Amino acid sequence: MAGVLAGCGGPGDSGDVTLKLVAADYGDSAANSSKKYWDKLSKDFEADNPGIKVDVTVLSWNDVDREVKEMVKKGDAPDLAQIGAYADYAAQGKLYEADELLSIATQADFMAPLAQAGEVKRIQYGMPFASSTRLLFYNTKLFKDAGLTPPQSWSGLQTAAKALKARGVKIPYALPLGPEEAPAETLMWMLSGGGGYTDNVGSYDIDSKQNAKTFAWLRDELVGKGLTGPKAPGEMNRAEAFAAFSRGEVGMLNGHPTLMKMAAKKGVKFGMVPAPGVNGKAQATMGVADWMMAFKQNGHRKEAGKFLDFVYSKKNVLDFSNEYDILPVTTSAFDAMSKDRGHTELGKFLKELPTSQLYPVGKTSWAQVSADIKKDIGKTVAKDGNPSMILGRIQGRAAAAENAE
């Protein structure tokens, strides 16, 4: 597929510009593939903008980042890519700045935490495209049978997990610190303990006292007491945890909107509450965003900017968000969705978005740090795990990677 994405236009195209867009697929079947969304949006745009064509290729999340990387390496960068990470391309000088592309109104409409996460050295290159937050899911039947209410603090979560274990629940709390998405579960727990990946000025702070205390508590009070199921957290992946919840085998776990559909499909009744903190609701939850970026290679700044202003119109952002049960990235669409769906289950995720904290994706070192977390974080909660030492090792490598930039 990568081969057909190189270049633009050809002889006899009367000066038309063809924008090449590579996008990730948010659908789970051919029937709801993102290709349908992009095909319709492109046709609508082309009808209003004669002289600009949009050629879209939609690839699965398993392939899209790798394919774009290969295209850029070969000198065949697309004009636009909607993928998982932008910072490496920005650091290499390959991307347009957002304010070179977007109207002032469009750029100002991005939600603040998402726009800030799209910056490298205070300049925005990554334009948020889709977002999500996390909530604590709990199995309402298991909770009702055990006479439990949803936990609001760590001690409440532990008490509920103990009661579920006593009733034979296989996995009272699922703690997926396996390599699939360890950085997400890690950040959720760090935030709930008052820490995070970075400090107030954006420097890595992985081995902070708060983070060390958080993982010591997990080791001693959840994992050590047999409340996370028979499998070691470092070997459990998110997909496995979600599947177990959808089979009714899990009492509680952190989840994103996709889990609502998965559980409902299997007939599992569930509730959702904000992540518990040390002594009450966590001050912030984790947010996640996927990114749109525009490559300089083909020189189509003006045309790409015009298309992006169209992509980020309130209607189009809402259409995409509603189709795939994800959260909008603009304030105008957020306000509209809050009015329309604020009292629905998705509305609970919406409420967490304005105060969410994202991965430090603007750091080109983040890819290496993320890989280190996937490899080592599970060891912090093992029986003989030493959270301070392991977090210190990850911090040391993170600082070295950052200084090497």
Side-chain angles (χ1 to χ4, degrees), residues 39-193:
D39 285 348
K40 181 181 184 306
L41 186 140
S42 300
K43 281 187 183 120
D44 291 346
F45 174 77
E46 289 169 359
D48 291 340
N49 295 274
I52 308 176
K53 306 283 184 196
V54 183
D55 179 9
V56 183
T57 298
V58 173
L59 300 172
S60 83
W61 273 111
N62 293 331
D63 304 321
V64 69
D65 287 275
R66 185 185 69 250
E67 289 285 347
V68 170
K69 190 175 182 180
E70 281 299 310
M71 293 162 68
V72 172
K73 197 174 169 185
K74 289 176 187 171
D76 291 337
D79 296 289
L80 297 158
Q82 186 271 298
I83 52 178
Y86 67 86
D88 279 357
Y89 302 124
Q92 293 163 24
K94 294 182 183 296
L95 300 180
Y96 287 115
E97 297 173 18
D99 62 7
E100 294 179 291
L101 297 158
L102 303 171
S103 68
I104 292 170
T106 299
Q107 193 173 4
D109 199 23
F110 288 129
M111 297 196 71
L114 305 178
Q116 286 161 11
E119 294 176 354
V120 174
K121 295 184 168 64
R122 299 184 181 272
I123 295 171
Q124 186 180 0
Y125 297 92
M127 292 160 276
F129 181 74
S131 67
S132 171
T133 55
R134 300 292 199 269
L135 292 171
L136 181 76
F137 281 68
Y138 62 96
N139 182 308
T140 51
K141 182 181 187 306
L142 296 178
F143 264 61
K144 188 178 177 185
D145 291 349
L148 296 169
T149 55
Q152 297 180 341
S153 65
W154 286 4
S155 60
L157 187 145
Q158 187 201 47
T159 299
K162 282 180 175 175
L164 293 168
K165 184 185 179 188
R167 295 184 64 84
V169 174
K170 187 175 177 184
I171 307 173
Y173 178 83
L175 183 67
L177 293 175
E180 182 192 0
E181 207 193 28
E185 188 75 13
T186 297
L187 181 54
M188 283 182 272
W189 277 99
M190 284 179 169
L191 291 172
S192 74

Side-chain angles (χ1 to χ4, degrees), residues 199-342:
D199 60 19
N200 291 334
V201 294
S203 300
Y204 283 119
D205 198 23
I206 293 163
D207 61 347
S208 69
K209 282 183 182 174
Q210 297 102 307
N211 291 342
K213 278 184 182 175
T214 294
F215 283 91
W217 186 87
L218 284 170
R219 178 196 63 197
D220 299 337
E221 303 301 329
L222 278 190
V223 182
K225 291 192 175 1
L227 302 177
T228 54
K231 193 165 190 176
E235 294 171 13
M236 175 175 272
N237 281 320
R238 185 197 69 187
E240 187 180 351
F242 278 20
F245 185 83
S246 300
R247 291 193 300 269
E249 297 171 0
V250 173
M252 300 170 278
L253 82 171
N254 288 319
H256 53 61
T258 306
L259 183 55
M260 294 192 299
K261 278 186 179 174
M262 285 179 67
K265 210 179 211 177
K266 298 283 188 180
V268 170
K269 300 278 194 282
F270 59 88
M272 301 178 301
V273 291
V278 181
N279 297 308
K281 181 192 167 187
Q283 291 181 331
T285 189
M286 185 190 75
V288 176
D290 301 323
W291 303 97
M292 177 74 79
M293 63 216 69
F295 287 88
K296 292 177 178 177
Q297 184 181 315
N298 298 324
H300 295 151
R301 180 186 66 80
K302 184 180 166 189
E303 295 84 0
K306 193 173 272 196
F307 180 62
L308 289 170
D309 278 337
F310 184 74
V311 166
Y312 285 108
S313 69
K314 181 169 81 170
K315 178 189 180 300
N316 288 329
V317 172
L318 273 174
D319 284 351
F320 191 86
S321 300
N322 284 322
E323 175 66 28
Y324 296 105
D325 268 346
I326 54 176
L327 306 186
V329 296
T330 61
T331 302
S332 58
F334 174 86
D335 290 344
M337 186 181 267
S338 294
K339 283 177 189 168
D340 184 42
R341 303 182 74 177

